[in-house]
Amino acid sequence: MTDYVSTTPGLYPLPDWAKDDLSDLKGHQKHDLISGDESEEITAAYEEAREEVIGVQQDADLDRIVEGQLRWDDMLAHPLAVHDAVETRGIVRYYDNNNFYREPVVQDDLGFSGDVANELEAAAELLEADDDLQAVLPGPYSLADLATDEQYGDEAEFLGAIADFLEGEVDAFPEHETLFLLEPSLVESAPEDGLDERASEAIDQVAGATDADVVVQPYWGALEEKVYAHLLDADIDAVGFDFVAEQDDNLYNIQEYGATDDVSLGLADGQNTLVEDPEAIRDRVEWVYDQLPVAEFETVYLTTNTETFYLPSGKFEAKLEILAEAAALAEVKAA
């Protein structure tokens, strides 16, 4: 029988009070530099905000609990932006939306950082006995795509260095049930011939650093056919599909090339304030099943199609609740 798991890709909005407090603490600098050695006041504010968003997930009864990535001012570029081998430069548009990040320029060999592992350790201390931790990272292709290389000198070598770096970071993570690798660049800046295979190999390398279930979550559309076919060669547990932004091409990929044993369905809109109905989300799951030749997936992750960073706090909390309710409804119907 299929196991329905409610979760999110992380990258949560800050609670309203934290936005105000942190803005004051950072001197009202919108793009304040997060360097990993914040003041005690800033550290305390992030710790309180982390505890709050973990509590929100617990109250919603989500099946997987993420740390929230509230410190990630640079969005998916964060693990590099706080790295000692990286210089952050000017502000760059985050894909095609109205959010921005500081350009991370790699100027030395990428050694171990441990920044994300430290966040996960702090999150793990807040979990209850029956909670399952989910780690969140940028996938190696997306992280390489968002960065600038001034050290390695070759696109393939740079992607390999990013994969080595992320592999080392994952190896230091505390025990976690699931790892979501976020790969919007596989859609937004699709790799060309040759690099698509290397991107799959890089993902496979990072996935191999954990015993947890690994979900590769592209979004803002559907993968090109060759990119999707190569991604299936990676030793991962699930591929994610953004059924909010694109239905037909995502269905075509599964129908034409098959799928992993597990699947992640982005069925709630992570950027729109309209709060879906849990029954509607469950019906969308059934609709996807009706279009596919796959008899049954072992695990179906129900999630927002993108990070929820863009949502107001109240809408964000409501989205978590409907995902948990939709997963519970799907379980009942499947039984």
Side-chain angles (χ1 to χ4, degrees):
M1 190 176 80
T2 300
D3 184 21
Y4 293 91
V5 175
S6 56
T7 188
T8 66
L11 283 165
Y12 287 169
L14 278 165
D16 291 336
W17 66 264
K19 293 176 185 177
D20 295 336
D21 287 2
L22 286 164
S23 178
D24 290 339
L25 289 169
K26 296 175 182 179
H28 301 280
Q29 296 179 26
K30 185 176 180 181
H31 298 289
D32 183 73
L33 304 186
I34 299 298
S35 63
D37 56 353
E38 297 94 339
S39 69
E40 290 183 5
E41 292 84 0
I42 290 176
T43 297
Y46 277 121
E47 288 175 349
E48 184 176 352
R50 177 191 296 121
E51 184 172 359
E52 181 171 324
V53 298
I54 287 178
V56 166
Q57 293 173 84
Q58 291 167 329
D59 290 343
D61 204 22
L62 277 186
D63 295 309
R64 298 289 184 270
I65 305 295
V66 301
E67 186 269 338
Q69 295 73 50
L70 302 176
R71 289 177 57 246
W72 293 26
D73 283 9
D74 297 292
M75 308 295 286
L76 293 181
H78 171 85
L80 286 184
V82 298
H83 198 287
D84 290 341
V86 175
E87 177 187 347
T88 51
R89 293 182 184 167
I91 300 301
V92 182
R93 186 179 295 275
Y94 183 61
Y95 297 105
D96 61 351
N97 59 46
N98 289 324
N99 287 283
F100 301 85
Y101 68 100
R102 295 168 300 143
E103 178 190 15
V105 181
V106 178
Q107 297 183 317
D108 202 348
D109 288 344
L110 290 170
F112 176 72
S113 166
D115 182 82
V116 179
N118 290 338
E119 291 181 335
L120 290 171
E121 292 281 3
E125 294 178 0
L126 299 172
L127 299 187
E128 298 174 354
D130 57 348
D131 288 336
D132 289 324
L133 181 65
Q134 175 177 297
V136 172
L137 270 181
Y141 180 75
S142 292
L143 190 56
D145 177 55
L146 294 171
T148 297
D149 170 35
E150 290 187 354
Q151 174 66 14
Y152 297 93
D154 175 83
E155 189 175 33
E157 187 177 349
F158 184 51
L159 177 59
I162 295 289
D164 289 344
F165 162 63
L166 291 177
E167 180 184 22
E169 300 304 294
V170 171
D171 188 56
F173 286 179
E175 182 177 353
H176 53 289
E177 188 73 17
T178 314
L179 169 63
F180 261 50
L181 294 175
L182 308 186
E183 282 283 16
S185 286
L186 286 177
V187 173
E188 290 289 310
S189 305
E192 298 177 353
D193 287 350
L195 192 60
D196 50 5
E197 185 174 1
R198 291 183 180 276
S200 176
E201 292 170 351
I203 290 168
D204 182 85
Q205 178 182 345
V206 177
T210 178
D211 293 328
D213 293 331
V214 177
V215 179
V216 176
Q217 189 81 19
Y219 44 94
W220 291 322
L223 298 174
E224 294 180 0
E225 291 181 56
K226 283 190 65 178
V227 175
Y228 179 71
H230 279 302
L231 181 57
L232 291 180
D233 291 334
D235 187 12
I236 56 178
D237 297 278
V239 174
F241 299 92
D242 180 350
F243 279 108
V244 174
E246 177 57 56
Q247 295 180 355
D248 293 343
D249 288 347
N250 275 316
L251 286 174
Y252 173 82
N253 280 339
I254 304 175
Q255 293 166 343
E256 187 71 16
Y257 298 100
T260 45
D261 291 337
D262 302 337
V263 67
S264 177
L265 303 180
L267 296 173
D269 196 328
Q271 298 178 278
N272 194 312
T273 56
L274 176 67
V275 178
E276 298 87 349
D277 184 82
E279 287 81 3
I281 297 294
R282 182 203 58 194
D283 291 346
R284 292 174 193 176
V285 175
E286 294 180 3
W287 177 84
V288 171
Y289 261 104
D290 289 343
Q291 314 303 312
L292 301 180
V294 181
E296 188 174 280
F297 294 105
E298 293 179 8
T299 301
V300 173
Y301 296 91
L302 299 186
T303 181
T304 54
N305 65 318
T306 69
E307 63 265 28
T308 54
F309 171 84
Y310 317 94
L311 295 176
S313 293
K315 299 294 186 179
F316 150 72
E317 294 177 12
K319 297 271 184 178
L320 301 189
E321 292 173 359
I322 66 105
L323 285 170
E325 291 177 30
L329 289 170
E331 290 277 5
V332 169
K333 184 149 190 178

